[in-house]
Amino acid sequence: MMGKLLSAEFMKIKRKGIWFLTVLGPIGVVAMQMVNYGVRKEYLFRQNDDRWGYYLDNIHSFTPLAIVLGIVILTSFMSSIENETNAWKQLMALPVSKMGVYLSKFTVLSVLLLISSVLLLLFTLAFGISLDLGGEIPYDGLLKYSFYPFFAALPVLALQLWAAAVSVNQGVPITLGILGVILTYAGYALPDWLIWKWPLLMNDWEEPLINVLLGGGAGLILYAAGMIDFVRRDVK
């Protein structure tokens, strides 16, 4: 049954531009550096002897904002599809559980963001090679900056899906999303406990893995809370 729910979810987004947005995110992040290095390549090369490390830091400066903004847009799009087609009531009329419906939506969103992370890694690697940065390619750094923000942002995803799934007025999750984007943008000055700061991979311990572990744990808690709330409510 779960397989059928996932197939149905992917069919819904087939012609809605969501796949385009999934690809656009990582392209946009790398395109920023294409412009940056295209305009002042020699200057940037002089900033740090570790050219690969400096390049990855520049890529990562845009990644947290892109992934939080992507979460807001994707959850909003998926909710709008349900509201436009009255799909919530149609789904509930089928012999499926609310838990299964909620899990399928969270899974599809996670898969889309994971695909974006994979594409970010590939585009980052390809452009880095084209720049002829020299030295060995830091594959560990590529993996960290491509996938750590995704896992650290899981609480944001769980919270946005929760708000989108239970809100009759979609202005609520959109407002929450805008606030989240602003908080992520200002994350460098925020306390470590705010979930919107975690994709930046910054903390007082200077250990990015802590943000990943916190993201996984808090994401699971918020997902469970959202699912329980969704199951208990009447269908919109």
Side-chain angles (χ1 to χ4, degrees):
M1 183 58 69
M2 191 61 196
K4 292 181 179 179
L5 283 171
L6 289 173
S7 297
E9 291 297 331
F10 280 114
M11 284 296 293
K12 289 179 193 175
I13 66 174
K14 189 174 182 181
R15 293 184 178 88
K16 297 296 183 179
I18 291 181
W19 285 109
F20 172 72
L21 292 172
T22 301
V23 177
L24 182 63
I27 288 178
V29 170
V30 177
M32 290 284 192
Q33 295 312 312
M34 287 182 176
V35 174
N36 191 19
Y37 276 84
V39 172
R40 50 178 191 159
K41 178 179 177 180
E42 297 303 322
Y43 169 78
L44 293 172
F45 275 9
R46 292 195 298 269
Q47 299 308 300
N48 196 314
D49 291 335
D50 182 10
R51 292 179 178 177
W52 268 105
Y54 190 70
Y55 165 67
L56 292 179
D57 285 340
N58 280 321
I59 290 285
H60 180 64
S61 65
F62 291 97
T63 303
L65 195 60
I67 197 166
V68 172
L69 183 59
I71 287 171
V72 174
I73 294 173
L74 289 176
T75 52
S76 177
F77 263 53
M78 288 194 72
S79 295
S80 68
I81 292 171
E82 303 296 348
N83 294 330
E84 288 171 6
T85 61
N86 200 26
W88 287 120
K89 291 184 178 180
Q90 294 176 23
L91 274 173
M92 293 303 103
L94 298 174
V96 296
S97 69
K98 281 188 172 183
M99 287 186 179
V101 171
Y102 196 84
L103 176 59
S104 67
K105 294 190 178 300
F106 185 83
T107 301
V108 168
L109 288 167
S110 298
V111 168
L112 292 173
L113 292 169
L114 191 58
I115 290 172
S116 285
S117 298
V118 172
L119 292 175
L120 177 62
L121 185 150
L122 296 176
F123 295 154
T124 300
L125 177 61
F127 183 57
I129 292 174
S130 72
L131 286 173
D132 192 21
L133 296 171
E136 294 186 4
I137 298 174
Y139 289 104
D140 56 339
L142 277 167
L143 290 169
K144 180 177 74 174
Y145 284 130
S146 298
F147 293 102
Y148 275 21
F150 161 69
F151 291 109
L154 285 176
V156 180
L157 173 59
L159 185 60
Q160 283 294 144
L161 177 60
W162 183 1
V166 303
S167 298
V168 176
N169 181 0
Q170 286 304 303
V172 174
I174 291 174
T175 301
L176 176 63
I178 293 172
L179 176 62
V181 170
I182 294 172
L183 290 174
T184 302
Y185 180 77
Y188 294 92
L190 298 178
D192 287 347
W193 54 267
L194 273 175
I195 61 175
W196 293 277
K197 181 179 180 177
W198 295 351
L200 276 70
L201 307 182
M202 296 178 61
N203 55 59
D204 289 340
W205 301 274
E206 298 184 357
E207 177 50 70
L209 188 58
I210 292 177
N211 293 41
V212 174
L213 297 175
L214 287 172
L220 182 61
I221 292 171
L222 285 172
Y223 164 77
M227 182 184 65
I228 292 170
D229 187 29
F230 177 74
V231 169
R232 289 179 176 177
R233 287 175 182 256
D234 292 331
V235 178
K236 294 185 288 185

